[in-house]
Amino acid sequence: MRTRNYSPEIARKLIRCAKGELPCDLVLKNGKIINVFTGEILDGDLGICAGYIAGIGTYRGIREKDLKGRYLSPGLIDGHIHIESSMLEPLQFARSVVPHGTTAVICDPHEIANVSGLEGVRYLLESAGNLSLDIFAMAPSCVPATEMETAGAKLDATEVAKLLDHPKILGLAEMMNFPGTIFADPDILEKIKLTQQRGLLVDGHAPGLRGKDLQAYCAAGISSDHECTTLEEAQEKIRSGMYIYIREGSTAKNLAELIPLVNPATAPFCLLVSDDLHPDDLLQTGHLDNILKKAVRLGLDPVTAIQLVTINPARRFGLEDIGAIAPGYRANLVTFDDLTDFRVKDVLVDGMLCAEAGKLNGETVEERQDQAVPLAVKNSIRVKWSDVDFSLPVRGSKVRVIELVENQLITKSQSLKPTIKNNFAVADPSRDLLKIAVIERHKASGRMQVGFVRGFGLQRGAFASTIAHDSHNIIVVGVSDEEMLLAAQSVAEINGGLAIVTGKDLVASLSLPIGGLMSTASVQEVAEQLNTLRKKVKSLGCHLDNPFMALSFLALPVIPELKLTDRGLVDVKGFHFTPLWM
Amino acid sequence: MRTRNYSPEIARKLIRCAKGELPCDLVLKNGKIINVFTGEILDGDLGICAGYIAGIGTYRGIREKDLKGRYLSPGLIDGHIHIESSMLEPLQFARSVVPHGTTAVICDPHEIANVSGLEGVRYLLESAGNLSLDIFAMAPSCVPATEMETAGAKLDATEVAKLLDHPKILGLAEMMNFPGTIFADPDILEKIKLTQQRGLLVDGHAPGLRGKDLQAYCAAGISSDHECTTLEEAQEKIRSGMYIYIREGSTAKNLAELIPLVNPATAPFCLLVSDDLHPDDLLQTGHLDNILKKAVRLGLDPVTAIQLVTINPARRFGLEDIGAIAPGYRANLVTFDDLTDFRVKDVLVDGMLCAEAGKLNGETVEERQDQAVPLAVKNSIRVKWSDVDFSLPVRGSKVRVIELVENQLITKSQSLKPTIKNNFAVADPSRDLLKIAVIERHKASGRMQVGFVRGFGLQRGAFASTIAHDSHNIIVVGVSDEEMLLAAQSVAEINGGLAIVTGKDLVASLSLPIGGLMSTASVQEVAEQLNTLRKKVKSLGCHLDNPFMALSFLALPVIPELKLTDRGLVDVKGFHFTPLWM
């Protein structure tokens, strides 16, 4: 557990402020104080001293702030998020979520870990060191996700142990390899043992797991899940001792289905989390403030909803000094105009007003730390271009084609006769039959694979991305080999990111120089550029709302049915490679 | 936090049992399983493997036990108890409480700490090492309780730090010196800091503390209280972030008053604890099983009541592998015939049936460990008898007299003319004016104090005890100096304990050779001897039901109004010594 840990000098000052012998640094007056221990909403002055809450009652302060009847809540805590999904470096992520009332996140940095390993995770934790947002992390448990792809790093048990000793690491991140866990894979059990030996927690990830397999997964030592999609599944999991993280993010939305799970008995074991949060969603709808609004609209009691993003994650992760408004807690606070829309007015972190009415406070704007980004993170694109070749000589009569399923992560597998030109299979936009390729980009191995995909509808050009779950190789789709090569080279030239090409022209790009995953620009800029890119892809004939996201999941060999990695075409259900040609 | 911590080999076996690939070691059939996560009572087989719960569902086992519809609960956990109050060494304590369903206690060993310091605490923790009862402890925070008495040891911050590093120590025990805490006493703040640095918790003890003083006490880092006597006090404290340990023990009974505190919002922050548990109460009414019965009779929902002595203390103290029935938890289990009387049938610890129908299971009876009791614990009585003198030459016209208040720990102060014989003030049973003395017994300093007490009603003889809170010097009361000397010497001769004397005869005694506080005999023997002693004291004219307990609190200089220590008569309200003679 992480309890309050202030020096005796600060304790002495706090005690004197609490007793009223000294004026507080700041007193918040006329707030409706949400008490997460009793579920009450109480009146009172809140006295703050040295960044901590000194007391609640009648207090005077060197500075006083009138909250004019606004609701005062503990700062919001997201118990499970991949910061990389925002495409923002930690600094920019903090700048974007703090005005929405988020004062702490527990992240799983497994995207950057797949690119840059320990160095990537450490960079993420260190770069968060001076932010007003608390960034805690879980040690990524499954890097690489499978043996069927080439990631930039492999975190074996020894490396996981190193991470577990980092003071910001609270446990082992979502154990996605649930088949391996219930198969008692020695490497997985070793990672769990190392976590438990340190008194830390193991988060789960087990979509649809039920019955005896679920009992086995829990018996292995896993104590949470954020993948429930049905109420029955969530009920079975909470009965089995799992904390249920109800997810409402950019990719998966389970709130409406799972709200009935929360009752007075189960509430202490429920959290609300985002998991993934895209920059445009963050900009347009917010973060946990938006999830609170939705939860209350769906019928959840507002104070209970607040408990699910304050005291509950704090207790789940053993963070004893945040998540509540009481003496000795850090003065991480949010005010809301009401408990229906949850519009955030003031955000205080360690007693400092960091944001007001959705804007960062000028005085306390985060300053970029002149911190060295490790080379492994900054220069993450290493491709042997001489080996890159998109041509497909005819080797059979039919090819296996990945077929997109709109708005879902799953794909279907089709077998089709390819269009042939000069004894080579080629893309044929008239049939919506595009080429897709995954190019290893971590070790310049020259390894790559080419296949076919249907469902993008692209009529001209090509687009590429270095976000390709979970190994984040270069993934590119297009109507011609030349445009695909240019698109791939374009993302490499900007040190990773997204790019669109037509003919010999780079149409638009978004640079993600931090591991090929994250930008150093603001959320506004990133969302705007992403919007431009989407419009451009649409103008080339693609009818998908979010073509880059769809592309990014086509290399993930754990979601059925047919996927492509740098090592080959994967039959996910059979969990083996399958030939392109039939 | 202490998470499950089994080896990968055991994890593998557990997983296989959970999946049904291997038969479990033991399957409990036809139980009504209490689910503390959902508040439900569910049907199902409970599969146990290697001492852990493998799964709940349909299981087969090498052995199977039919629970015949009994309620199956997690083993009960007492979040705050002084084992010494049972007068039983840990072995005997375990033997007596396990049949009542108690499988873990978090104790504050401050009685033995006052006698034998670090060695005493370590003895208590080590001697519990091989018991079926889990004995966790908090590091005593206030040894000695005050500077106005002589204890056998002093635990300063350095020594507290040593204890905090012991794996069975979960935090800093009840901070009884609440005036010192809100006065920001540097030694107290240092002890709190050392605790927090280790991620451990600080328990509180602040009877009646309210308002700004309470805020200051919480701001110092203290996060629980078990001294609430009114509902309003408990409500204020829980709002201030304190876990409320609702106490129902041998000495203080707060359950009836505090039951209304528990509602769906507050329940996760409430515990039921005993604090003190005398051997006769333990024998006649039980332990937490009895508190559960009372709580339900007072209107508390039975499953909520069970949560207050299972999952709640487990989560409060970061014990992640006990307190619930779910896969991966230790198979510490209790069955009840019903949820009204809470009569305990089976008690399993680590999957082994340890007790049945109130009797220890013959096969698993605890064996005495041939463990060396440290000298400081075994030979704890050191008195310079040549300096012991009960005579009181006349030094004024009146004396300050301690007046007992029946069934309360407080006393009143009276000023009376003493009965004089040959220029000495003497005891006068006809006026119910007895002599009382406290003799330093740790360091053979020869220091002692003599005073007067009213309220025992003793007409003949004297009785003495080495249980005298908190320093546990010899305390003796009697009608003549000679009998008082013999009583004091008698308790010394039996290595500490209780004794009654008339004339030159030892009437009865109870040997407490472990620190002068605890017996090595069974609870039955101790309760019987204690009962004999009480009857004998009654036969000498004393009308109190519990004269030894009344005596034991007369040396505690923190409970008003007038007390006697080896250093002098104490005016508790003024917190200073006061002369006997006026």
Side-chain angles (χ1 to χ4, degrees), chain B residues 275-472:
Chain B
D275 197 358
D276 282 318
L277 188 61
H278 297 165
D280 44 339
D281 286 340
L282 208 173
L283 193 65
Q284 285 156 29
T285 61
H287 184 199
L288 296 165
D289 50 346
N290 178 49
I291 302 179
L292 284 173
K293 181 169 78 177
K294 284 189 187 178
V296 169
R297 200 165 288 167
L298 287 164
L300 195 60
D301 166 72
V303 176
T304 304
I306 287 171
Q307 288 171 321
L308 267 57
V309 290
T310 55
I311 188 74
N312 291 10
R315 293 291 144 111
R316 160 63 181 163
F317 292 101
L319 303 166
E320 296 281 324
D321 59 354
I322 60 173
I325 301 178
Y329 279 75
R330 286 172 58 197
N332 292 1
L333 301 159
V334 185
T335 69
F336 300 112
D337 289 330
D338 57 49
L339 300 186
T340 46
D341 283 341
F342 288 93
R343 204 148 50 95
V344 172
K345 184 76 183 345
D346 316 280
V347 183
L348 289 92
V349 174
D350 295 327
M352 290 208 309
L353 188 69
C354 288
E356 229 179 327
K359 303 276 175 223
L360 286 172
N361 187 326
E363 288 171 37
T364 57
V365 166
E366 315 292 352
E367 289 304 320
R368 178 178 304 284
Q369 300 302 313
D370 265 341
Q371 158 221 5
V373 181
L375 273 184
V377 176
K378 208 162 54 175
N379 296 327
S380 71
I381 315 288
R382 283 174 289 276
V383 177
K384 193 178 179 189
W385 292 106
S386 57
D387 284 6
V388 173
D389 177 2
F390 297 91
S391 68
L392 287 173
V394 175
R395 295 274 185 268
S397 60
K398 285 187 167 183
V399 287
R400 288 185 172 80
V401 177
I402 300 169
E403 177 158 15
L404 296 184
V405 179
E406 199 159 348
N407 295 324
Q408 292 200 46
L409 303 186
I410 58 162
T411 62
K412 297 284 175 193
S413 175
Q414 276 194 329
S415 56
L416 294 174
K417 281 194 178 172
T419 301
I420 308 291
K421 262 193 194 166
N422 304 327
N423 255 350
F424 285 91
V426 295
D428 186 347
S430 72
R431 296 171 63 196
D432 188 18
L433 192 61
L434 304 181
K435 268 193 187 168
I436 182 168
V438 175
I439 305 163
E440 190 281 314
R441 61 106 163 169
H442 303 291
K443 293 161 189 188
S445 64
R447 190 163 40 242
M448 67 173 291
Q449 294 291 332
V450 185
F452 286 98
V453 64
R454 275 174 61 94
F456 280 105
L458 196 72
Q459 295 302 312
R460 295 188 296 134
F463 60 99
S465 172
T466 52
I467 302 176
H469 300 286
D470 276 342
S471 291
H472 302 298

Side-chain angles (χ1 to χ4, degrees), chain B residues 67-363:
Chain B
L67 296 183
K68 297 179 179 164
R70 288 195 291 280
Y71 293 88
L72 186 59
S73 159
L76 311 182
I77 306 169
D78 192 337
H80 181 68
I81 186 169
H82 305 282
I83 290 178
E84 301 94 323
S85 67
S86 72
M87 299 184 182
L88 303 171
E89 59 168 348
L91 172 78
Q92 296 292 354
F93 177 78
R95 291 175 60 106
S96 65
V97 298
V98 167
H100 289 283
T102 307
T103 57
V105 296
I106 293 93
C107 74
D108 172 9
H110 83 207
E111 315 292 3
I112 191 72
N114 267 285
V115 174
S116 312
L118 284 186
E119 274 191 288
V121 176
R122 284 188 186 133
Y123 150 76
L124 192 141
L125 292 170
E126 307 304 323
S127 73
N130 288 295
L131 302 177
S132 58
L133 178 73
D134 274 330
I135 301 186
F136 298 102
M138 305 293 274
S141 63
C142 304
V143 175
T146 69
E147 296 296 322
M148 305 170 93
E149 60 198 302
T150 309
K154 184 177 162 70
L155 295 188
D156 60 17
T158 314
E159 272 154 326
V160 164
K162 286 180 194 160
L163 283 179
L164 291 170
D165 290 328
H166 191 289
K168 292 270 184 184
I169 296 266
L170 307 179
L172 191 63
E174 50 175 330
M175 180 50 75
M176 296 185 292
N177 189 355
F178 61 90
T181 307
I182 62 178
F183 191 69
D185 177 290
D187 187 56
I188 293 174
L189 297 188
E190 181 67 17
K191 286 175 180 172
I192 293 175
K193 187 195 79 179
L194 292 168
T195 308
Q196 294 182 328
Q197 278 177 342
R198 288 161 172 79
L200 300 174
L201 298 166
V202 186
D203 270 344
H205 163 120
L209 203 68
R210 308 284 294 267
K212 285 192 161 63
D213 284 349
L214 175 62
Q215 301 296 296
Y217 188 66
C218 293
I222 293 162
S223 54
S224 75
D225 187 78
H226 60 269
E227 292 287 337
C228 297
T229 51
T230 70
L231 180 59
E232 293 68 32
E233 180 186 353
Q235 283 167 333
E236 185 176 342
K237 283 178 172 169
I238 203 166
R239 282 180 193 131
S240 304
M242 287 180 145
Y243 279 80
I244 302 301
Y245 306 169
I246 299 172
R247 175 174 57 177
E248 186 76 1
S250 293
T251 315
K253 300 187 195 298
N254 311 123
L255 188 62
E257 175 69 26
L258 300 185
I259 277 281
L261 177 71
V262 185
N263 63 43
T266 58
F269 306 101
C270 295
L271 274 63
L272 298 174
V273 306
S274 67
D275 197 358
D276 282 318
L277 188 61
H278 297 165
D280 44 339
D281 286 340
L282 208 173
L283 193 65
Q284 285 156 29
T285 61
H287 184 199
L288 296 165
D289 50 346
N290 178 49
I291 302 179
L292 284 173
K293 181 169 78 177
K294 284 189 187 178
V296 169
R297 200 165 288 167
L298 287 164
L300 195 60
D301 166 72
V303 176
T304 304
I306 287 171
Q307 288 171 321
L308 267 57
V309 290
T310 55
I311 188 74
N312 291 10
R315 293 291 144 111
R316 160 63 181 163
F317 292 101
L319 303 166
E320 296 281 324
D321 59 354
I322 60 173
I325 301 178
Y329 279 75
R330 286 172 58 197
N332 292 1
L333 301 159
V334 185
T335 69
F336 300 112
D337 289 330
D338 57 49
L339 300 186
T340 46
D341 283 341
F342 288 93
R343 204 148 50 95
V344 172
K345 184 76 183 345
D346 316 280
V347 183
L348 289 92
V349 174
D350 295 327
M352 290 208 309
L353 188 69
C354 288
E356 229 179 327
K359 303 276 175 223
L360 286 172
N361 187 326
E363 288 171 37

